[in-house]
Amino acid sequence: MATPDLPPPPLSPRTWPTWLLVGLGWTVARWPWWLQHAAGPWLGRLLYRLLPGRRRVAATNLALCFPERDEAARAALLRANFESLGLGLFEFLRAWWGRLAPVDRGFEISGLEHLHAAQQGGRGVILVSAHFTTLEVCLRLLCQHVRLGAMYRPHEQAAMEWAVKRGRLRHAEAMFARDELRPAIRHLKQGGVLWFAPDQETRRGDSVFVPFFGQPAWSLTSTHQLARLSDAAVLPLFHERLPDGRYRIEVLPPLEGFPTRDATADTARIMATLEGLIRRRPEQYLWLHQRFKRQPDGSRRRYS
């Protein structure tokens, strides 16, 4: 697939430290897969010790979302989550700037018939997913079977944004920033497929409080808006890292009767759907995000 045109990379002196990091990431992305796969869990254990703030955020999230588990079980889940995160960082680099082989050998994909059926008549499709640590590598694997665009949150550093976007556009058909709703809607109206993960709290975009793991969560209504304005079908997308190191991607059947006229009800349905996916592989979800920072009463003490 040809890479879409990008503006020239930012090269001012203030970007040079970021370019050094990009160069390091580019080098690590080309390590042999066996070495990355072996080093990933060790990196995760190191991050567990070096990032006490993020460790507390993840532990708080797990306590809120899995109150039925005892403290020892949640502690084991937290450690497994950091090991998955460490491996996921290598997967991110490989997906952006490395070769996919041998990662793409023997991965499993199912449910493409649901996608193809939803595309009948030139209808657009939204693949709604969650922020798993396998996100980038499985997105790239999916692009071997589907012409795919995606929505994403831009990086604050201009050099990193340019480098990551260029890496993603080597396999994705298009990338839309979270505030680029009009181009995304146009992509869907033209029969395109759009990957979207609306499970994180953000300061931008219309949001409402809906339940997520039994907690009130400030959640984007964007899936409702995109589907309503483009008449796109909405299909859940699940992806995971299997115990043997391979990957599995599953496209689920479309959400029937979606969207409705009720943005809050539709957003609650999306969050419930994503919660169901996360419960299948909780150790591979990105729990480091302060998902419940904003509360209906205005308090922000959950992570203090």
Side-chain angles (χ1 to χ4, degrees), residues 50-97:
L50 293 180
L51 302 176
R54 287 298 175 180
R55 186 177 69 236
R56 285 193 294 270
V57 168
T60 299
N61 284 332
L62 292 176
L64 291 170
C65 295
F66 297 99
E68 72 281 2
R69 300 195 184 195
D70 60 30
E71 188 172 344
R74 290 199 298 268
L77 178 56
L78 178 63
R79 290 182 179 276
N81 183 238
F82 267 82
E83 290 183 3
S84 179
L85 173 66
L87 185 51
L89 291 176
F90 284 106
E91 294 167 342
F92 272 49
L93 295 176
R94 196 176 193 91
W96 291 339
W97 303 316

Side-chain angles (χ1 to χ4, degrees), residues 111-120 123-128 231-237 250-259 269-270 273:
L112 286 177
E113 68 275 10
H114 302 308
L115 175 61
H116 295 154
Q119 290 178 299
Q120 293 298 315
R123 190 181 186 190
V125 173
I126 301 170
L127 295 177
V128 64
D231 191 36
V234 177
L235 281 65
L237 177 69
E250 181 182 359
V251 181
L252 282 74
L255 300 180
E256 296 293 339
F258 190 98
R269 186 178 180 188
I270 291 295
T273 299

Side-chain angles (χ1 to χ4, degrees), residues 3-279:
T3 302
D5 291 335
L6 283 174
L11 298 175
S12 67
R14 71 176 61 183
T15 68
W16 292 353
T18 303
W19 282 118
L20 288 175
L21 289 176
V22 170
L24 176 61
W26 188 93
T27 302
V28 173
R30 283 160 170 73
W31 284 6
W33 173 237
W34 66 265
L35 179 58
Q36 293 178 341
H37 194 266
W42 287 97
L43 175 60
R45 295 176 198 128
L46 180 62
L47 294 175
Y48 180 90
R49 296 182 178 277
L50 293 180
L51 302 176
R54 287 298 175 180
R55 186 177 69 236
R56 285 193 294 270
V57 168
T60 299
N61 284 332
L62 292 176
L64 291 170
C65 295
F66 297 99
E68 72 281 2
R69 300 195 184 195
D70 60 30
E71 188 172 344
R74 290 199 298 268
L77 178 56
L78 178 63
R79 290 182 179 276
N81 183 238
F82 267 82
E83 290 183 3
S84 179
L85 173 66
L87 185 51
L89 291 176
F90 284 106
E91 294 167 342
F92 272 49
L93 295 176
R94 196 176 193 91
W96 291 339
W97 303 316
R99 295 177 61 249
L100 202 54
V103 173
D104 56 348
R105 297 172 189 167
F107 78 95
E108 301 176 13
I109 186 167
S110 62
L112 286 177
E113 68 275 10
H114 302 308
L115 175 61
H116 295 154
Q119 290 178 299
Q120 293 298 315
R123 190 181 186 190
V125 173
I126 301 170
L127 295 177
V128 64
S129 184
H131 281 83
F132 288 97
T133 59
T134 54
L135 182 155
E136 293 285 350
V137 67
C138 286
L139 176 65
R140 183 166 176 182
L141 290 171
L142 182 60
C143 285
Q144 293 187 344
H145 294 267
V146 180
R147 291 179 59 86
L148 184 69
M151 297 198 76
Y152 74 106
R153 179 181 297 176
H155 289 266
E156 294 182 359
Q157 291 94 352
M160 183 65 72
E161 165 66 8
W162 190 94
V164 171
K165 187 173 183 179
R166 183 180 186 277
R168 286 168 168 165
L169 286 174
R170 289 190 302 150
H171 49 275
E173 184 176 31
M175 297 299 301
F176 305 103
R178 283 277 179 91
D179 57 355
E180 294 180 325
L181 286 180
R182 288 186 178 180
I185 291 169
R186 184 165 56 249
H187 173 79
L188 290 168
K189 285 186 174 181
Q190 293 172 348
V193 180
L194 182 71
W195 175 89
F196 183 43
D199 55 311
Q200 293 189 344
E201 180 180 315
T202 179
R203 290 173 291 181
R204 295 184 178 182
D206 293 333
S207 297
V208 292
F209 281 106
V210 296
F212 188 56
F213 283 89
Q215 305 293 323
W218 188 240
S219 305
L220 285 166
T221 64
S222 302
T223 311
H224 161 88
Q225 297 172 17
L226 288 167
R228 181 177 60 85
L229 294 173
S230 67
D231 191 36
V234 177
L235 281 65
L237 177 69
F238 176 68
H239 43 87
E240 63 178 328
R241 185 187 307 111
L242 299 173
D244 61 4
R246 294 181 301 119
Y247 301 91
R248 189 169 77 87
I249 302 171
E250 181 182 359
V251 181
L252 282 74
L255 300 180
E256 296 293 339
F258 190 98
T260 68
R261 295 183 178 182
D262 190 333
T264 299
D266 284 350
T267 303
R269 186 178 180 188
I270 291 295
M271 289 302 110
T273 299
L274 296 181
E275 177 182 333
L277 300 181
I278 294 165
R279 287 186 180 275

